[in-house]
Short mmCIF file of all heavy atoms in Angstrom, two decimals:
data_model
loop_
_atom_site.label_atom_id
_atom_site.label_comp_id
_atom_site.label_asym_id
_atom_site.label_seq_id
_atom_site.Cartn_x
_atom_site.Cartn_y
_atom_site.Cartn_z
N LEU A 31 -7.09 22.93 9.03
CA LEU A 31 -6.11 22.53 10.04
C LEU A 31 -6.35 23.11 11.37
O LEU A 31 -6.26 22.40 12.44
CB LEU A 31 -4.70 22.76 9.54
CG LEU A 31 -4.11 21.66 8.59
CD1 LEU A 31 -2.83 22.13 8.00
CD2 LEU A 31 -3.96 20.40 9.32
N PRO A 32 -6.62 24.41 11.52
CA PRO A 32 -6.79 25.05 12.90
C PRO A 32 -7.98 24.35 13.58
O PRO A 32 -8.02 24.38 14.85
CB PRO A 32 -7.07 26.46 12.57
CG PRO A 32 -6.46 26.75 11.28
CD PRO A 32 -6.67 25.51 10.50
N LEU A 33 -8.92 23.77 12.87
CA LEU A 33 -10.04 23.12 13.58
C LEU A 33 -9.68 21.88 14.31
O LEU A 33 -10.30 21.36 15.16
CB LEU A 33 -11.21 22.87 12.56
CG LEU A 33 -11.73 24.00 11.78
CD1 LEU A 33 -12.75 23.58 10.72
CD2 LEU A 33 -12.39 25.05 12.71
N TRP A 34 -8.46 21.33 13.81
CA TRP A 34 -8.01 20.07 14.46
C TRP A 34 -6.88 20.30 15.39
O TRP A 34 -6.24 19.27 15.85
CB TRP A 34 -7.55 19.18 13.27
CG TRP A 34 -8.73 18.68 12.46
CD1 TRP A 34 -9.36 19.31 11.52
CD2 TRP A 34 -9.38 17.45 12.72
NE1 TRP A 34 -10.46 18.56 11.10
CE2 TRP A 34 -10.40 17.39 11.84
CE3 TRP A 34 -9.20 16.42 13.61
CZ2 TRP A 34 -11.33 16.33 11.77
CZ3 TRP A 34 -10.04 15.32 13.52
CH2 TRP A 34 -11.16 15.26 12.59
N ARG A 35 -6.64 21.52 15.84
CA ARG A 35 -5.45 21.77 16.62
C ARG A 35 -5.51 21.13 18.01
O ARG A 35 -4.39 20.91 18.68
CB ARG A 35 -5.21 23.30 16.83
CG ARG A 35 -6.28 24.02 17.61
CD ARG A 35 -6.01 25.47 17.76
NE ARG A 35 -7.13 26.14 18.31
CZ ARG A 35 -7.99 26.84 17.67
NH1 ARG A 35 -7.89 26.93 16.38
NH2 ARG A 35 -9.00 27.34 18.27
N ASP A 36 -6.70 20.74 18.54
CA ASP A 36 -6.71 20.10 19.82
C ASP A 36 -6.54 18.61 19.74
O ASP A 36 -6.63 17.90 20.84
CB ASP A 36 -8.06 20.50 20.55
CG ASP A 36 -8.19 21.94 20.82
OD1 ASP A 36 -7.09 22.52 21.10
OD2 ASP A 36 -9.27 22.51 20.91
N GLU A 37 -6.49 18.05 18.62
CA GLU A 37 -6.32 16.59 18.38
C GLU A 37 -4.85 16.26 18.40
O GLU A 37 -3.96 17.14 18.05
CB GLU A 37 -6.94 16.17 17.05
CG GLU A 37 -8.50 16.34 17.06
CD GLU A 37 -9.24 15.57 18.10
OE1 GLU A 37 -8.80 14.34 18.39
OE2 GLU A 37 -10.26 15.98 18.61
N PRO A 38 -4.43 15.03 18.66
CA PRO A 38 -3.06 14.64 18.56
C PRO A 38 -2.59 14.84 17.21
O PRO A 38 -3.27 14.67 16.20
CB PRO A 38 -3.12 13.19 18.94
CG PRO A 38 -4.47 12.87 19.60
CD PRO A 38 -5.41 13.98 19.12
N ALA A 39 -1.31 15.13 16.99
CA ALA A 39 -0.65 15.38 15.71
C ALA A 39 -0.67 14.20 14.82
O ALA A 39 -0.64 14.28 13.65
CB ALA A 39 0.72 15.94 15.94
N ASP A 40 -0.79 13.02 15.43
CA ASP A 40 -0.86 11.78 14.61
C ASP A 40 -2.23 11.25 14.31
O ASP A 40 -2.46 10.17 13.85
CB ASP A 40 -0.01 10.69 15.25
CG ASP A 40 -0.57 10.25 16.59
OD1 ASP A 40 -1.42 10.93 17.18
OD2 ASP A 40 -0.17 9.18 17.12
N HIS A 41 -3.21 12.09 14.53
CA HIS A 41 -4.58 11.79 14.22
C HIS A 41 -4.63 11.45 12.70
O HIS A 41 -4.06 12.22 11.86
CB HIS A 41 -5.54 12.95 14.57
CG HIS A 41 -7.01 12.56 14.47
ND1 HIS A 41 -7.63 12.58 13.10
CD2 HIS A 41 -7.90 12.23 15.35
CE1 HIS A 41 -8.87 12.21 13.36
NE2 HIS A 41 -9.14 12.02 14.67
N PRO A 42 -5.33 10.42 12.27
CA PRO A 42 -5.36 10.06 10.84
C PRO A 42 -5.84 11.21 9.90
O PRO A 42 -5.21 11.29 8.77
CB PRO A 42 -6.40 8.87 10.82
CG PRO A 42 -6.29 8.32 12.14
CD PRO A 42 -6.07 9.44 13.11
N TYR A 43 -6.79 12.02 10.34
CA TYR A 43 -7.22 13.10 9.41
C TYR A 43 -6.10 14.18 9.27
O TYR A 43 -5.97 14.71 8.22
CB TYR A 43 -8.54 13.65 9.86
CG TYR A 43 -9.14 14.56 8.87
CD1 TYR A 43 -9.59 14.04 7.65
CD2 TYR A 43 -9.31 15.96 9.11
CE1 TYR A 43 -10.24 14.90 6.70
CE2 TYR A 43 -9.84 16.76 8.16
CZ TYR A 43 -10.28 16.19 7.01
OH TYR A 43 -10.89 17.05 5.99
N GLN A 44 -5.48 14.50 10.41
CA GLN A 44 -4.37 15.42 10.30
C GLN A 44 -3.26 14.96 9.42
O GLN A 44 -2.69 15.64 8.64
CB GLN A 44 -3.88 15.83 11.68
CG GLN A 44 -4.71 16.73 12.45
CD GLN A 44 -4.00 17.40 13.55
OE1 GLN A 44 -2.94 18.05 13.33
NE2 GLN A 44 -4.42 17.28 14.83
N ARG A 45 -2.94 13.64 9.53
CA ARG A 45 -1.87 13.05 8.69
C ARG A 45 -2.30 13.20 7.24
O ARG A 45 -1.47 13.49 6.40
CB ARG A 45 -1.71 11.60 9.07
CG ARG A 45 -1.01 11.48 10.43
CD ARG A 45 -0.83 10.05 10.87
NE ARG A 45 -0.22 9.23 9.88
CZ ARG A 45 -0.63 8.06 9.36
NH1 ARG A 45 -1.68 7.57 9.82
NH2 ARG A 45 0.03 7.39 8.44
N LYS A 46 -3.56 12.99 6.92
CA LYS A 46 -4.12 13.04 5.55
C LYS A 46 -3.91 14.53 5.10
O LYS A 46 -3.41 14.76 3.96
CB LYS A 46 -5.53 12.68 5.51
CG LYS A 46 -6.24 13.01 4.19
CD LYS A 46 -7.72 13.03 4.39
CE LYS A 46 -8.51 13.47 3.21
NZ LYS A 46 -8.21 14.79 2.69
N LEU A 47 -4.29 15.45 5.92
CA LEU A 47 -4.19 16.89 5.53
C LEU A 47 -2.74 17.31 5.25
O LEU A 47 -2.52 18.06 4.26
CB LEU A 47 -4.91 17.81 6.60
CG LEU A 47 -6.36 17.72 6.72
CD1 LEU A 47 -6.84 18.52 7.90
CD2 LEU A 47 -7.05 18.20 5.53
N TYR A 48 -1.87 16.89 6.14
CA TYR A 48 -0.45 17.28 5.95
C TYR A 48 0.12 16.54 4.70
O TYR A 48 0.89 17.25 4.04
CB TYR A 48 0.30 17.09 7.19
CG TYR A 48 0.10 18.10 8.21
CD1 TYR A 48 -0.46 17.83 9.46
CD2 TYR A 48 0.61 19.45 8.04
CE1 TYR A 48 -0.67 18.76 10.39
CE2 TYR A 48 0.41 20.36 8.94
CZ TYR A 48 -0.22 20.05 10.16
OH TYR A 48 -0.41 21.03 11.07
N ALA A 49 -0.28 15.40 4.37
CA ALA A 49 0.20 14.68 3.27
C ALA A 49 -0.26 15.45 1.96
O ALA A 49 0.52 15.67 1.05
CB ALA A 49 -0.26 13.18 3.23
N GLU A 50 -1.56 15.79 1.95
CA GLU A 50 -2.12 16.58 0.84
C GLU A 50 -1.32 17.86 0.72
O GLU A 50 -0.94 18.29 -0.43
CB GLU A 50 -3.59 16.89 1.05
CG GLU A 50 -4.52 15.76 0.76
CD GLU A 50 -5.94 16.22 0.94
OE1 GLU A 50 -6.37 16.53 2.00
OE2 GLU A 50 -6.63 16.31 -0.11
N TRP A 51 -1.15 18.55 1.82
CA TRP A 51 -0.50 19.89 1.80
C TRP A 51 0.89 19.75 1.23
O TRP A 51 1.26 20.51 0.22
CB TRP A 51 -0.40 20.47 3.23
CG TRP A 51 0.32 21.69 3.28
CD1 TRP A 51 1.71 22.00 3.49
CD2 TRP A 51 -0.24 23.01 3.14
NE1 TRP A 51 1.98 23.25 3.43
CE2 TRP A 51 0.76 23.97 3.27
CE3 TRP A 51 -1.54 23.44 2.99
CZ2 TRP A 51 0.59 25.37 3.15
CZ3 TRP A 51 -1.74 24.84 2.83
CH2 TRP A 51 -0.65 25.76 2.95
N ASP A 52 1.68 18.78 1.67
CA ASP A 52 3.07 18.61 1.27
C ASP A 52 2.99 18.33 -0.31
O ASP A 52 3.79 18.85 -1.07
CB ASP A 52 3.77 17.45 1.95
CG ASP A 52 4.07 17.87 3.36
OD1 ASP A 52 4.02 19.12 3.71
OD2 ASP A 52 4.39 17.01 4.15
#
Side-chain angles (χ1 to χ4, degrees):
L31 277 171
L33 302 175
W34 289 83
R35 69 178 169 261
D36 294 332
E37 296 296 326
D40 64 345
H41 188 281
Y43 192 66
Q44 282 199 58
R45 291 178 51 233
K46 172 203 174 295
L47 291 173
Y48 281 114
E50 281 185 293
W51 178 269
D52 290 345

